[in-house]
Amino acid sequence: MKIPRLSGFAFVSIAVILLSPLSAPGAAAQTAAPTDPIPPDPAVITGTLDNGLRYFVHENDQPENRAELRLVVNAGSILEDEDQLGFAHFVEHMAFNGTENFEKQALVDYLESIGMQFGPDINAYTSFDETVYMLQVPMDDPETLATAFQILEDWAQGVLFDPEEVDKERGVVIEEWRGRRGAGARIQDQQFPVLFQGSLYAERLPIGKPELLETAPVERLRSFYEDWYRPDLMAIVAVGDFDGAVMEAMIRERFAGLTGPEEPRPRIAVEVPIDHPPLVTIATDPEAPGSQVGVLYKQPPAPRGTIGDFRRGLVEGLYSGMLNARLDELRLQADPPFMVGFSGQGQFARGVDAYQLVAVVAEGGIERGLEALLTEAERVVQNGFTESELDREKTNTRRRYERRLAERENQESGALASRYIQVFLQGSAYPDLETQMELVDAFLPGITLEETNGVAQAWLAEQGRVVLASAPTKEGLEPPTEDDLLSVFAAVGGREVEAYEDEAADAPLLPVAPDGMPVASEEALDEVGVTIWTLENGVRVVLKPTDFKDDEILFSATSPGGTSILSDDLYRRVSFALGVVSQSGVGEFDQTALTKKLAGKAVRVTASVGSLSEAVSGSASPQDVETAFQLIYLYFSAPRRDETMFEALKAQQTAFLANAGANPGFVFSDTISATMSQGHPRVLRFSQFAQYLELADLDAAYDVYLDRFADASDFTFYFTGAFDLATIRPLVEQYLGALPNLGRVESWRDIGIDPPAGTIETTVYKGLEPQSRTQIIFAGEAEYSLEESNAISAMADVLDIRLREVLREDLGGTYGVGVSGSLSYRPDEEYRFSISFGSDPERAEELSAVVFEEIESLKAEGPDAETVDKVRETQRRGKETSLQENRYWLSQLASFERAGRDLNGIPSYERIESWTAEQVRQAAVRYLRTDQYARFVLLPEPKVP
């Protein structure tokens, strides 16, 4: 089931206001009436063919030289017949396994040959109500685009359903079903019948039923395809770096010939009852990771397309934002009523909206958590919000729209494509960003407390209310009864709730501006547009101005040392609490006060102490970058020791870990981690977490933090994004130049976490479902070189393709295979290569044997030329888009300097072009040794007779 998008919509109490005349600045708002439709983005070319197919075309060059193409089918699992459960999803799988113009795996082979990856660039999904196929293709060859359109056309009406391929894919679909099972699925099985109240949605989960999938007849798969894959239920979405008129012409030429059945089945709209009395569902499961409680209030679908709807959405968004801020404050109390609290409204299913209050709580804390949620909602009903809260949320809201407008030329094509999918499926409005900003400026200042306060009263209705609670099945833990939960509603509803007091500090963020120090030396790397400054206090600053984004500056900083220099005893006492210091705010502002102080600012700064280094990272809008520098300075000079935050995070961590040991995946990962570190004291086992929390020493952690940030002379800062050197230089000199310089010479220390020697075979028996997980790890000492690093990375990509082809496509044994490989040089020179997959427990040994067969084949013969070309082209295409991203440059600047490499080499494709098939073969011989690996298998617990 798709997670609903959380955006505010309808409520009754402001209807009169919405029907009154509107007057405000901006052309769209000056002349509009509330009932006028929101004007569509004029940059989008839309149309409908004679056969009913619709299309949406938008020219957009982010990323450059790419097109995002979508085939959207307004049909999903809700339209399946009783004997077709899961077939909508099965049909989606078959679209990649043989069409009229691409037999068997030829479609995926072609797309990989042009550098597109199965998963990130080539994918599809099936939901209750729609099926969507997604392609990203390069635009430098007209033949590539023509072939991509042939693929879309084949998906629309040319899927073959070859019986042999159906049988192969049957196993893949069942493995996807298997992988989704677990505590979450079992709890869902208990809750959905109550939540959907007799609606077909409760019986049409897209994943289907294995007993039907195992025997799915070809003719019934084809029947679903022929019934529902028809042009009147389809749309083509094209967004990218192309000529829009040419793209529209191609769509019209390609898809005008699609036809539907002479007597089409009606595309029904399935209802979800919302007029029922309050309901309660309490679900338990032995593997549930924790306890949750939520209240879902079903609502009629709100209209979404008019100017008045836009204003109403603003009102409701302000309500949710203010309530969530209050819930977050409760989360940070010393004894919090919940670990996570959330309020949001959006679409629940087609034709139904819902408002939700949700909390993740400690064991035994369901009633307390529910009471806290309801009390905060009731506090708004009785007392409303404060003017200061509304002003702050208005400021935040306007700033979000302002930032979107600033990036109007840099919108990602993939995000725009997703938007037009919803336009087709839901009739969503799609104004341009200028119109949105005009409407915000027209309406936001005039929204009153009376309006936002009225949202709670309108949304908290008994009719259509469902309370959902879930908890672990555990000895000594009794879940509440239905009467227990209903009594919470009665108690809160009959209580007078005190008004909220908004405490916001008026003090300046930085009381006294530091003097700083100037740049002492400068180096320009003109080839890559990088400048390096060294300040008089020893701080190095590496700067890469870019024009990739207009409202984004990213930064990071690092210094060697970290927790590696601590004794094991001190590490045990501070490992948890160091994170507390980093989350406790700065100066006079605790975390809550700091959040309020930064209202309307697009800035984020975090400080941390890792295993090998201490670091700072963050982002800022250009107009808020000085605030970012002030925060950096404060994280060095004025960190906080916050006892309340310490207790809050301890409570949260305790709650999250309370039933983690019942989760099969957690236990499996814990076993792998302990084995591969040979039980090193700094690699915590699950059984040790409680002990470490008891040992946590906030004072000691605060002292360690102060020490790690006491000397900035060995810090290097990296900045990428929308700045110019002349503007940022005074800020660098004033704030980074004021950081302390003790002249210490430090480095990290190798604390001796090394992989075990020899071969290890470990089986973990945990879990109720018929699931298994296999992970094979090759790890050991190695001599680092750039060439070897290239070879092991290429080998991972080669095996990823090959094992997917064999384990998934040929054998139908798994839904997916994960392969990764790396060569590290710090804290010592080691290699690590991992292969993992899920499967039927009865096939785990068989599939492991196939993995080792493929490894031996790679050692003997090396990769074939076709696979080498696929991998290299994928690497080229990945780098092509990465070079247009600030985050890529930020990471590469730091990693190149850490490895002592020339920064001028960042744009180079030499690493991609230089590796050979023979180097990959030799790497397989060196690293994939059958006398040096560990294999871990997770199997279900044996059933007790």
Side-chain angles (χ1 to χ4, degrees):
M1 179 181 181
K2 291 181 66 181
I3 298 173
R5 293 174 301 114
L6 296 170
S7 54
F9 298 115
F11 71 94
V12 176
S13 60
I14 62 166
V16 175
I17 295 171
L18 291 178
L19 293 174
S20 62
L22 307 176
S23 61
Q30 283 179 338
T31 60
T35 55
D36 286 348
I38 298 171
D41 187 340
V44 184
I45 301 170
T46 65
T48 304
L49 304 183
D50 291 342
N51 58 14
L53 182 141
R54 295 180 63 189
Y55 60 83
F56 301 82
V57 177
H58 190 164
E59 296 180 15
N60 190 68
D61 62 359
Q62 293 296 322
E64 295 177 0
N65 190 37
R66 292 289 186 276
E68 295 283 352
L69 305 176
R70 306 288 186 267
L71 170 66
V72 189
V73 186
N74 186 20
S77 61
I78 203 70
L79 298 175
E80 295 166 345
D81 296 330
E82 287 294 331
D83 66 340
Q84 291 179 318
L85 302 188
F87 287 19
H89 177 236
F90 204 148
V91 166
E92 172 223 305
H93 274 243
M94 291 311 302
F96 295 87
N97 287 274
T99 66
E100 289 180 0
N101 292 281
F102 299 89
E103 66 175 6
K104 299 184 178 181
Q105 297 302 305
L107 188 152
V108 174
D109 285 340
Y110 169 75
L111 291 168
E112 287 182 332
S113 75
I114 61 171
M116 301 297 102
Q117 285 183 282
F118 189 63
D121 307 316
I122 316 155
N123 216 328
Y125 74 82
T126 303
S127 187
F128 283 112
D129 284 289
E130 74 262 11
T131 306
V132 179
Y133 297 87
M134 299 169 279
L135 287 180
Q136 183 189 90
V137 295
M139 290 296 298
D140 45 14
D141 184 350
E143 284 302 313
T144 298
L145 183 60
T147 304
F149 266 79
Q150 183 63 71
I151 291 170
L152 293 178
E153 186 179 355
D154 275 17
W155 281 340
Q157 288 200 337
V159 178
L160 293 180
F161 300 100
D162 176 85
E164 181 181 349
E165 293 300 312
V166 169
D167 283 339
K168 285 183 180 180
E169 198 64 21
R170 193 186 309 278
V172 177
V173 175
I174 291 173
E175 287 309 313
E176 184 175 356
W177 167 86
R178 189 189 311 279
R180 292 172 183 265
R181 296 303 299 171
R186 293 190 296 271
I187 287 173
Q188 178 181 277
D189 292 343
Q190 297 174 62
Q191 292 179 337
F192 268 28
V194 178
L195 196 56
F196 285 110
Q197 271 296 289
S199 170
L200 205 58
Y201 279 99
E203 304 171 15
R204 291 292 187 272
L205 295 182
I207 198 63
K209 295 186 176 181
E211 59 269 26
L212 292 178
L213 298 173
E214 288 169 353
T215 59
V218 170
E219 60 271 16
R220 294 301 287 149
L221 291 168
R222 186 178 288 114
S223 175
F224 183 90
Y225 181 70
E226 292 174 350
D227 282 342
W228 304 113
Y229 279 58
R230 61 194 204 219
D232 63 306
L233 297 179
M234 289 180 177
I236 297 295
V237 175
V239 184
D241 195 2
F242 48 64
D243 183 300
V246 171
M247 182 64 69
E248 181 185 25
M250 289 185 68
I251 292 172
R252 287 187 164 275
E253 178 183 354
R254 277 282 187 181
F255 296 97
L258 296 184
T259 59
E262 291 184 6
E263 297 183 8
R265 295 178 63 175
R267 201 307 186 188
I268 60 170
V270 175
E271 293 186 359
V272 176
I274 64 175
D275 58 352
H276 55 75
L279 300 170
V280 177
T281 170
I282 302 165
T284 61
D285 189 273
E287 294 175 2
S291 298
Q292 295 187 56
V293 62
V295 190
L296 185 138
Y297 300 87
K298 297 180 200 171
Q299 304 166 341
R304 294 168 167 81
T306 69
I307 298 293
D309 297 332
F310 185 92
R311 186 184 189 280
R312 184 180 58 243
L314 288 175
V315 174
E316 294 169 355
L318 292 170
Y319 165 83
S320 290
M322 289 186 286
L323 183 55
N324 279 321
R326 290 186 178 183
L327 294 177
D328 202 54
E329 285 189 38
L330 292 181
R331 178 182 66 87
L332 299 180
Q333 291 179 349
D335 181 23
F338 44 69
M339 310 307 110
V340 177
F342 172 77
S343 161
Q345 195 266 5
Q347 187 184 70
F348 174 59
R350 284 273 183 98
V352 180
D353 289 349
Y355 173 58
Q356 298 180 71
L357 290 166
V358 182
V360 178
V361 300
E363 286 190 353
I366 287 177
E367 292 154 281
R368 184 184 177 215
L370 178 61
E371 181 182 20
L373 289 175
L374 297 178
T375 298
E376 290 311 308
E378 184 65 21
R379 197 184 310 278
V380 178
V381 171
Q382 293 186 22
N383 305 291
F385 295 106
T386 65
E387 286 287 357
S388 56
E389 287 177 288
L390 181 59
D391 290 344
R392 192 161 54 240
E393 194 60 33
K394 283 183 177 181
T395 300
N396 286 332
T397 299
R398 190 185 189 284
R399 188 72 177 96
R400 284 194 295 271
Y401 280 94
E402 188 178 72
R403 294 198 74 197
R404 293 175 197 168
L405 182 62
E407 295 290 7
R408 59 187 175 276
E409 301 299 325
N410 302 307
Q411 299 178 82
E412 293 293 329
S413 292
L416 289 170
S418 296
R419 180 192 194 195
Y420 304 134
I421 289 171
Q422 295 308 312
V423 172
F424 170 62
L425 295 172
Q426 310 283 2
S428 307
Y430 57 106
D432 62 21
L433 293 169
E434 289 84 356
T435 298
Q436 293 179 47
M437 193 73 245
E438 285 183 9
L439 293 172
V440 168
D441 283 338
F443 298 140
L444 195 63
I447 293 174
T448 66
L449 277 175
E450 181 182 2
E451 296 175 74
T452 55
N453 296 344
V455 175
Q457 187 69 56
W459 280 355
L460 301 173
E462 284 196 359
Q463 188 179 49
R465 186 185 78 196
V466 184
V467 182
L468 303 102
S470 62
T473 304
K474 194 172 183 178
E475 186 176 353
L477 179 64
E478 287 295 326
T481 65
E482 180 175 336
D483 287 342
D484 292 334
L485 297 182
L486 292 177
S487 68
V488 175
F489 283 85
V492 173
R495 180 189 307 156
E496 183 176 340
V497 182
E498 291 183 1
Y500 172 82
E501 294 186 14
D502 185 24
E503 299 178 3
D506 294 327
L509 181 63
L510 185 61
V512 179
D515 293 331
M517 291 184 180
V519 171
S521 64
E522 180 173 348
E523 179 184 2
L525 305 178
D526 295 333
E527 188 176 336
V528 287
V530 170
T531 298
I532 303 173
W533 294 333
T534 302
L535 308 183
E536 284 190 357
N537 62 349
V539 172
R540 291 181 72 250
V541 187
V542 181
L543 306 107
K544 165 69 176 174
T546 72
D547 58 2
F548 308 142
K549 296 280 188 182
D550 294 322
D551 200 49
E552 178 180 85
I553 298 173
L554 304 180
F555 52 87
S556 66
T558 185
S559 161
T563 59
S564 71
I565 67 173
L566 307 181
S567 68
D568 287 347
D569 177 67
L570 181 56
Y571 175 80
R572 280 190 288 270
R573 291 190 289 127
V574 305
S575 59
F576 168 76
L578 273 172
V580 176
V581 179
S582 300
Q583 298 179 64
S584 294
V586 290
E588 297 183 25
F589 301 87
D590 64 19
Q591 192 63 40
T592 297
L594 184 61
T595 300
K596 292 178 180 180
K597 184 67 179 178
L598 297 178
K601 302 230 180 243
V603 59
R604 178 187 61 83
V605 179
T606 59
S608 60
V609 181
S611 59
L612 299 178
S613 63
E614 41 276 356
V616 175
S617 62
S619 62
S621 166
Q623 74 182 60
D624 299 317
V625 71
E626 182 167 10
T627 302
F629 276 101
Q630 291 174 344
L631 287 169
I632 292 170
Y633 176 77
L634 287 167
Y635 275 111
F636 274 84
S637 62
R640 289 175 56 84
R641 180 196 174 283
D642 191 326
E643 190 74 37
T644 299
M645 178 65 82
F646 180 58
E647 295 299 329
L649 294 183
K650 276 181 69 175
Q652 291 178 24
Q653 192 69 24
T654 300
F656 284 131
L657 292 172
N659 207 49
N663 181 282
F666 186 93
V667 174
F668 188 55
S669 297
D670 187 51
T671 301
I672 293 173
S673 178
T675 303
M676 296 307 297
S677 65
Q678 302 189 74
H680 196 282
R682 296 209 184 188
V683 179
L684 296 186
R685 297 299 305 268
F686 167 69
S687 58
Q688 297 172 305
F689 277 113
Q691 177 189 358
Y692 269 56
L693 286 177
E694 286 297 320
L695 289 173
D697 185 334
L698 181 59
D699 290 330
Y702 184 69
D703 290 343
V704 168
Y705 181 97
L706 290 176
D707 176 71
R708 291 296 78 220
F709 287 89
D711 182 13
S713 65
D714 61 353
F715 266 85
T716 298
F717 285 79
Y718 301 92
F719 289 85
T720 63
F723 60 85
D724 61 72
L725 297 178
T727 302
I728 206 170
R729 181 166 180 154
L731 301 175
V732 168
E733 292 179 326
Q734 179 176 10
Y735 295 104
L736 303 190
L739 297 180
N741 175 9
L742 300 181
R744 297 191 307 205
V745 178
E746 292 183 322
S747 186
W748 43 263
R749 178 173 66 96
D750 182 1
I751 58 175
I753 302 178
D754 297 309
T759 60
I760 294 174
E761 297 277 351
T762 299
T763 301
V764 177
Y765 294 95
K766 190 71 176 176
L768 303 176
E769 295 286 347
Q771 297 171 324
S772 77
R773 188 84 201 162
T774 300
Q775 184 160 0
I776 305 167
I777 300 174
F778 301 85
E781 295 181 357
E783 291 186 13
Y784 181 86
S785 71
L786 194 56
E787 292 74 16
E788 285 294 285
S789 180
N790 294 342
I792 200 169
S793 295
M795 180 171 66
D797 293 338
V798 165
L799 270 177
D800 187 70
I801 291 174
R802 182 59 185 156
L803 292 177
R804 188 200 74 230
E805 291 174 343
V806 176
L807 298 187
R808 174 181 161 127
E809 307 302 344
D810 292 346
L811 299 176
T814 185
Y815 178 60
V817 183
V819 183
S820 63
S822 63
L823 200 60
S824 63
Y825 55 85
R826 66 170 200 158
D828 56 6
E829 295 180 316
E830 292 180 352
Y831 70 92
R832 184 181 175 100
F833 197 93
S834 174
I835 300 168
S836 63
F837 57 88
S839 71
D840 183 333
E842 295 183 0
R843 300 192 68 185
E845 285 296 324
E846 170 202 347
L847 297 178
S848 286
V850 172
V851 168
F852 281 100
E853 287 173 8
E854 290 301 320
I855 288 172
E856 292 306 311
S857 175
L858 185 63
K859 291 179 182 179
E861 302 171 12
D864 61 70
E866 181 182 0
T867 303
V868 168
D869 290 343
K870 284 181 180 180
V871 170
R872 202 185 309 278
E873 187 63 15
T874 299
Q875 292 176 340
R876 290 183 188 124
R877 294 300 186 180
K879 178 134 191 169
E880 186 177 80
T881 54
S882 293
L883 285 170
Q884 303 171 46
E885 298 171 353
N886 288 324
R887 193 162 300 282
Y888 176 79
W889 276 94
L890 187 71
S891 67
Q892 291 299 294
L893 289 170
S895 64
F896 265 60
E897 285 215 321
R898 194 161 50 238
R901 297 171 60 194
D902 183 358
L903 298 183
N904 288 310
I906 292 176
S908 172
Y909 284 73
E910 182 180 356
R911 288 192 65 178
I912 295 171
E913 305 300 338
S914 62
W915 63 268
T916 67
E918 177 58 19
Q919 287 176 329
V920 169
R921 188 194 69 78
Q922 292 176 8
V925 172
R926 265 191 301 278
Y927 303 121
L928 307 186
R929 294 164 42 194
T930 55
D931 64 344
Q932 179 65 30
Y933 74 89
R935 182 169 71 114
F936 303 89
V937 181
L938 174 65
L939 296 175
E941 300 166 43
K943 293 185 178 180
V944 179

